[in-house]
Amino acid sequence: MPSRRGFLQGLLGAGGALALTGGGGCDAGPPQPSCEPLLDGAVRLDDVPFVGEGSPVLDAPFGSGLDGRLYTDLASLAIGDAQPRTEHFYIRTRTPDQIDRASPWTITLRDRGGDGRVVTLDELAARSTPQGARVLECSGNGAFGRFGLLSVATWGGATLVNLLDDLEIFSVGTRVLVSGFDGHSMPSQNSVPGASWIFSRSDLVATGAFLALTMNGAPLPDDHGAPVRLFVPGWYGCTSIKWVDTITIVADDAPATPHMQEFASRTMQSGTPTLARDFVPAVIDLAAMPVRVERWRHPGGDDSYRVVGITWGGPRHDVALAITLGDEAPAPVQRCGSLQPTGWSWWSHHWVPRRSGTHAITLAAADRTIRTRRLDNHFYRRTIEIPA
Ligand SMILES: Nc1nc2c(c(=O)[nH]1)N[C@H]1C(S)=C(S)[C@@H](COP(=O)(O)O)O[C@H]1N2
Ligand SMILES: [Mo]
């Protein structure tokens, strides 16, 4: 662990950033030194606020129906936290007030001949298996909500493609439409009611999409789709339909649903395709952002900063990330703790600013062959002001 002077000199001197990352911080493995609150005798002061962002209520639900939200307070998580508490998991659309929770819930399954059958919760429970820690992100995440439409939970449920295969419901040239109950008596300011998404069989196989019954070991909370929601690992939240009540086998050339059209640009479609089959998978690419910038005071009175952040999405997490602070050269970040391939992973970066004033913080994958559409267009860029 470097002494304070060595640390500061190392950062300020030529090649300092390299000296600091000495152990090759990009691999999975034990926590890297710089992720510890090191800096002998340094005391953590306040956090430097991100400027130009909204200041909504965090970690508590507000509003109702389609406009009901909960923004997760990512800044309050400790380095290494694998997931927020269930009560702090983000919410986009709160439980519909017209839902009938008195009668037993069933899912109606319709094949192409129009024949229906009903799948009960007991049948789903019998098929339910642990599905692991999975990140969910709203495609409409943004600075207005401090990027808090992003959370991780551990899920359990029944793999959808297995259910449909066992019921022999797929035939060649068909897709599956999953829809959820959306009876809200209050009209929405911004959203179209009636969440539904159409998948190909290979979408279901590739993602391992499941009908979730549990979240963090307990039955789904009402606001997260109780009693059953779809969960599509690796895809944006708009495809993870809540309060699932109908699954319909549709023709290969079925039109995209209004919900798919609403989310076309946010899931990075080209235009608004008319047919469901012309939608590209709503995949979350590798992404990363700072969640907090800590200010540390050293015994001699100097300050340095620690930028703490998360990375998620994409096929793998063992990817080196580079941080750019203002007009400084990109520097590698340190990875903290074990990599969470299906959740989020932590990184940190010690920093001594060379000047005061406005600094935009931008992350990029060191390997430019990895697709990072939202990093490329600075979707997660955040800005701080360093005092003189
Ligand atoms: N029935 C229904 N399902 C839905 C929605 C909705 O409005 N109605 N919103 C979707 C969107 S846009 C997101 S981001 C996720 C949010 O899931 P969460 O509230 O459990 O975090 O639910 C999806 N499923
Ligand atoms: Mo969303």
Side-chain angles (χ1 to χ4, degrees), residues 63-69 91-101 105 180-196 222-226 241-243 245 259 262:
S64 62
L66 280 161
D67 297 326
R69 297 284 184 274
I91 297 169
R92 192 281 186 188
T93 305
R94 299 191 65 195
T95 188
D97 58 352
Q98 293 170 353
I99 209 161
D100 173 10
R101 295 201 180 277
W105 191 274
F181 184 83
D182 256 328
H184 305 273
S185 45
M186 280 291 292
S188 165
Q189 309 294 317
N190 332 291
S191 302
V192 186
S196 55
D222 288 354
D223 286 337
H224 294 294
I241 304 304
K242 302 195 276 191
W243 311 292
D245 60 0
H259 182 81
E262 179 184 358

Side-chain angles (χ1 to χ4, degrees), residues 109-113 115 117 127 160-172 174 201 249:
L109 241 148
R110 285 204 200 90
D111 67 20
R112 280 200 73 192
D115 292 340
R117 65 151 281 177
R127 294 172 164 275
L160 182 54
V161 73
N162 296 346
L163 174 76
L164 299 178
D165 282 354
D166 289 352
L167 299 175
E168 297 184 341
I169 197 161
F170 268 120
S171 51
V172 176
T174 61
R201 186 175 181 284
I249 302 298

Side-chain angles (χ1 to χ4, degrees), residues 90 92 138-140 237-238 263:
Y90 89 84
R92 192 281 186 188
C138 180
S139 57
C238 48
F263 285 95

Side-chain angles (χ1 to χ4, degrees), residues 273-290:
T274 312
L275 301 184
R277 70 174 178 216
D278 295 328
F279 272 62
V280 296
V283 165
I284 305 176
D285 288 351
L286 179 76
M289 70 173 158

